[in-house]
Amino acid sequence: MAILKIARMGHPVLRQVAAQVENPADPEILRLIRDMKETMRDAGGVGLAAPQVFASLAVMMFYVPPSRSTDDPDDGEIPLTVLINPEVIPLGDEMVGGWEGCLSIPGLQGHVPRWQKVQYRGLDEKGDVVERVASGFHARVVQHEYDHLIGVMYPQRMEDMSLLGFAEELRRDPPEITLSGAESGEEQ
Ligand code: NI
């Protein structure tokens, strides 16, 4: 087990499209997953993707803490979930704005539009298929992590760059936002 260094925005590994994992049972992949879990816990994030630890592979993980779950059946508490070679498909055309942070952009937050509802599919670390429908924060964290696998960081998804700032300042004096999702953004 090891706590890995986290790549910061600007490093080329975060702009690359990650390679598909050919053998999810490879001990090297399982070790990467164990180290990513430890790194995410240590950093206090709710999600982490392999490119953030300098491994350009289609592996991501996330969870939805009780504090971010809602009564929506697709946006309840989700235990730590690993997805290898994931696919994410938007359901419907509704988008919703919400605050996001990223462990690769420490200290900053931005208000990012995301699909309200998505379906996703991938393999977990046991090689079992995980297939779920997600809404709200659950859908947001999945889209954020999946974007890391295609070389996209959350500022690239933003429509209003005036809503990018230091979390400390935004908390002190929150901008008025008419869209929903004005809660503080955990780092992912
Ligand atoms: Ni991130």
Side-chain angles (χ1 to χ4, degrees):
M1 300 268 275
I3 293 169
L4 305 172
K5 187 181 174 190
I6 296 176
R8 290 184 304 174
M9 184 167 64
H11 193 284
V13 73
L14 295 170
R15 294 195 294 271
Q16 287 167 18
V17 176
Q20 294 286 295
V21 174
E22 287 181 16
N23 176 13
D26 184 334
E28 287 290 313
I29 296 295
L30 299 177
R31 184 165 65 181
L32 171 67
I33 289 169
R34 278 198 306 273
D35 289 347
M36 283 175 64
K37 285 182 182 175
E38 198 177 355
T39 302
M40 187 177 85
R41 255 194 303 272
D42 175 71
V46 295
L48 189 68
Q52 291 182 277
V53 293
F54 302 88
S56 192
L57 290 164
V59 177
M60 58 183 254
M61 60 182 58
F62 61 91
Y63 69 101
V64 177
S67 61
R68 296 309 305 264
S69 67
T70 67
D71 293 336
D72 181 333
D74 303 321
D75 189 24
E77 185 180 353
I78 297 288
L80 179 56
T81 298
V82 172
L83 293 178
I84 300 167
N85 299 338
E87 294 166 37
V88 180
I89 303 160
L91 297 178
D93 52 13
E94 189 189 344
M95 299 197 83
V96 62
W99 290 102
E100 294 184 20
C102 180
L103 294 170
S104 296
I105 316 176
L108 297 187
Q109 280 186 5
H111 198 259
V112 187
R114 296 286 187 187
W115 299 109
Q116 161 64 16
K117 194 167 186 177
V118 299
Q119 180 166 25
Y120 63 88
R121 189 175 199 274
L123 297 176
D124 69 12
E125 67 265 57
K126 298 189 197 89
D128 294 328
V129 174
V130 177
E131 188 163 15
R132 294 184 190 136
V133 171
S135 294
F137 183 78
H138 183 190
R140 176 171 299 277
V141 67
V142 167
Q143 290 170 81
H144 179 114
E145 297 317 324
Y146 180 76
D147 267 355
H148 280 302
L149 306 184
I150 56 170
V152 173
M153 306 278 282
Y154 78 76
Q156 292 165 259
R157 298 289 188 199
M158 291 179 64
E159 282 168 359
D160 180 353
M161 292 305 285
S162 75
L163 298 177
L164 178 68
F166 287 93
E168 209 181 312
E169 302 295 343
L170 291 164
R171 265 196 293 272
R172 190 178 299 156
D173 197 1
E176 272 183 45
I177 289 169
T178 48
L179 299 166
S180 64
E183 316 86 7
S184 67
E186 285 85 354
E187 292 191 312
Q188 308 172 17

